[in-house]
Amino acid sequence: KARVWEAASRRPDAAWGLVSKYSAVATAAMYKEQGGVDIGGQQYKIEIDAVDDQEDPKLAVTGAQRLILQDGVKYLIGPNVDSTIVSVQPIAEKYNVMMFSYSFTRSLFSPPHHNTVLGIIPGYQTGSVVFKYLHDKQDLKSVSFIVLNSAEALKQRDESVAAANKAGLQVTTHA
């Protein structure tokens, strides 16, 4: 059995945790219909164990310790914000547990963090290409960015504004 911890949240960035939770549950159900997932030539049933860390590093550490040390979880989907990722990384690294997290702080996914993987293609890798295409091929002239007032959202907004400007788009709002 492969157990996966999904870090959900009720905080302002809860959508991050909830989207990945629902995606993990749906994916596990699809694999269950196929008899499990093949890992190294062996079929495993997947269980999703959702934990609400409430974006609190202490709760994230407590949840990770329980799931890794007591429950034998080998794969974590999340945590999803910088402070909780940083707090769980040492535990995951010590016990060779893979983390699929969602943050845009590049250093969290760079050496020496060999077991933390960015779970999505980030805007800083795709934004300039998308904006250039929309400008050049779809005749897009302007764009607006309205984001949550959180460090991660503001960081993404700033990178998107820079990419849009580089593509020749007028940024009309960036709140």
Side-chain angles (χ1 to χ4, degrees):
K1 210 179 337 184
R3 299 212 45 211
V4 178
W5 171 38
E6 166 47 43
S9 180
R10 294 179 291 217
R11 307 286 295 169
D13 290 331
W16 290 81
L18 293 174
V19 166
S20 54
K21 173 187 172 183
Y22 298 140
S23 297
V25 168
T27 302
M30 289 188 301
Y31 277 111
K32 183 178 180 179
E33 290 174 5
Q34 299 171 11
V37 63
D38 183 291
I39 300 174
Q42 188 171 350
Q43 291 292 114
Y44 290 89
K45 304 282 188 214
I46 298 174
E47 289 181 14
I48 305 298
D49 191 350
V51 173
D52 185 357
D53 64 20
Q54 299 178 36
E55 294 182 29
D56 181 329
K58 291 177 185 172
L59 292 176
V61 166
T62 301
Q65 287 174 330
R66 176 181 64 85
L67 293 165
I68 293 169
L69 299 176
Q70 293 176 16
D71 298 342
V73 169
K74 295 293 183 188
Y75 304 93
L76 305 178
I77 301 173
N80 293 327
V81 295
D82 292 358
S83 61
T84 55
I85 294 170
V86 167
S87 67
V88 170
Q89 270 181 325
I91 301 160
E93 289 168 1
K94 181 177 181 179
Y95 295 100
N96 202 29
V97 171
M98 290 299 300
M99 288 176 43
F100 300 88
S101 296
Y102 302 87
S103 169
F104 295 97
T105 302
R106 294 175 181 117
S107 62
L108 295 175
F109 306 97
S110 302
H113 305 296
H114 63 279
N115 65 327
T116 306
V117 177
L118 180 57
I120 59 173
I121 300 171
Y124 61 76
Q125 291 180 339
T126 60
S128 59
V129 174
V130 170
F131 292 135
K132 181 162 178 38
Y133 172 83
L134 291 171
H135 179 266
D136 296 351
K137 305 291 185 189
Q138 301 295 317
D139 201 30
L140 184 68
K141 303 288 185 215
S142 63
V143 65
S144 295
F145 300 96
I146 301 171
V147 301
L148 287 171
N149 187 20
S150 69
E152 297 237 353
L154 295 170
K155 187 181 343 174
Q156 290 177 59
R157 179 212 52 204
D158 292 346
E159 289 179 344
S160 295
V161 166
N165 284 330
K166 184 177 178 182
L169 295 171
Q170 178 186 3
V171 177
T172 58
T173 304
H174 58 280

